[in-house]
């Protein structure tokens, strides 16, 4: 599939690694066997869940407020977390990232997810959280 169009090459390392994971060249999780259910107390349940994007992996859609608060020098929003981090570092504004991460999702959100009958939460994060920049 074609690579996403990105202005400049600021996000190239991210797309390269994401592509490698999608093609199975990197296996961040162990393969599983069986069906798409989980066992809780000996009872099998189907997975019913939600993805929490924009919290630990910053995406322009879910984390719109953060992206729109720190524009590139040309007045446009960053297109990915890599560009946004460059902007935050240049402006000595990493506090905005810490505020976002501490307030975007909280314990009450997880309680609400559970109260809706969901039993799984997908929390996307970038490989750099594990491997470093």
């Amino acid at each position: 599939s074609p690579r996403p169009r990105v202005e400049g090459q600021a996000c190239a390392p991210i797309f390269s690694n994401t592509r490698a994971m999608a093609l199975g060249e990197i296996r961040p999780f162990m393969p599983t066997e069986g069906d798409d259910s989980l066992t809780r107390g000996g009872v099998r349940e189907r997975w019913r869940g939600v993805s929490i994007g924009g919290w630990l992996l910053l995406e322009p859609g879910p984390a719109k407020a953060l992206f729109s608060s720190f524009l590139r020098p040309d007045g446009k929003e960053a297109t990915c977390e890599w560009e946004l981090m460059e902007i935050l570092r240049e402006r000595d504004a990493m506090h905005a990232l810490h505020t976002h991460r501490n307030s975007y999702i909280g314990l009450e959100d997880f309680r609400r997810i559970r109260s809706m009958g969901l039993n799984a939460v997908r929390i996307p994060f970038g490989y750099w959280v594990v491997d470093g920049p």
Side-chain angles (χ1 to χ4, degrees):
S1 67
R3 278 179 62 165
R5 185 176 171 278
V6 178
E7 294 178 58
Q9 293 298 313
C11 300
I14 295 169
F15 290 129
S16 174
N17 196 58
T18 303
R19 180 177 180 279
M21 288 184 354
L23 295 174
E25 297 167 14
I26 298 173
R27 298 194 184 279
F29 303 102
M30 296 297 294
T32 60
E33 295 182 25
D35 59 20
D36 61 345
S37 61
L38 62 99
T39 302
R40 184 183 305 265
V43 177
R44 294 185 75 81
E45 298 181 40
R46 285 196 67 75
W47 290 90
R48 291 183 310 277
V50 65
S51 179
I52 301 176
W55 180 32
L56 301 181
L57 178 66
L58 300 176
E59 302 162 308
K64 177 79 171 163
L66 189 58
F67 278 77
S68 62
S69 296
F70 298 94
L71 303 177
R72 298 184 322 203
D74 65 3
K76 296 181 180 179
E77 289 182 12
T79 58
C80 65
E81 182 173 341
W82 184 281
E83 284 184 345
L84 182 61
M85 291 301 98
E86 289 180 333
I87 293 167
L88 293 177
R89 286 184 185 107
E90 286 171 6
R91 298 184 186 169
D92 196 26
M94 291 300 289
H95 66 280
L97 173 64
H98 298 284
T99 299
H100 171 80
R101 294 242 166 100
N102 289 327
S103 63
Y104 188 74
I105 298 292
L107 181 58
E108 190 55 39
D109 296 299
F110 288 102
R111 288 182 177 143
R112 190 174 17 212
I113 289 167
R114 185 65 182 150
S115 74
M116 293 176 175
L118 303 175
N119 59 12
V121 176
R122 177 180 174 267
I123 304 175
F125 59 91
Y127 71 91
W128 49 92
V129 173
V130 177
D131 289 345

